[in-house]
Amino acid sequence: MVGYDVVTNRPKVAAYRAPGGPIAEFAVESVIDEIAGKIGMSPIELRLKNAAKQGTKAAYGPKFGPVGLVETLEAAKAHAHWRTPLAKNQGRGSPAASGSTSAARRPCRCR
């Protein structure tokens, strides 16, 4: 069997599922938390103040349809877990990380 490698100057077109996405998202969300702390604002309140909603214009032009981020953040903020004091070396995940806006379509079921 013989194989050939053909080199072109055209980019490959295929599905790309963002293998570095979670790592980059962790960095972004960590910086958002740090900014909130520096300005004396709750991390959820900062995200709510800047959350995209239906009708928000995307950077690439069109307006967003239903997003659900505000509803997701409000559900997290209302949950008892958010108000539980953290011990040393503990943290709390953000409902906004990784574009998790579809979670607003179902209420928070954290236990």
Side-chain angles (χ1 to χ4, degrees):
M1 187 177 238
V2 176
Y4 295 95
D5 186 17
V6 179
V7 180
T8 69
N9 64 349
R10 302 189 68 161
K12 180 180 176 185
V13 178
Y16 184 71
R17 301 219 177 248
I23 297 116
E25 194 63 37
F26 177 79
V28 168
E29 294 299 328
S30 295
V31 169
I32 297 293
D33 288 346
E34 286 182 27
I35 291 170
K38 295 270 184 191
I39 64 174
M41 185 181 264
S42 157
I44 283 191
E45 289 301 326
L46 181 59
R47 287 173 175 88
L48 279 167
K49 186 174 179 130
N50 294 283
K53 304 167 193 66
Q54 183 168 353
T56 299
K57 188 174 178 184
Y60 53 89
K63 292 184 179 179
F64 291 126
V67 176
L69 178 57
V70 171
E71 294 84 354
T72 302
L73 291 168
E74 291 288 355
K77 187 170 96 171
H79 198 281
H81 177 68
W82 188 256
R83 294 183 300 277
T84 303
L86 295 173
K88 185 178 177 184
N89 297 321
Q90 283 188 324
R92 188 172 281 123
S94 164
S98 302
S100 301
T101 57
S102 63
R105 294 192 179 96
R106 45 191 199 286
C108 179
R109 288 184 171 79
C110 308
R111 296 202 199 282

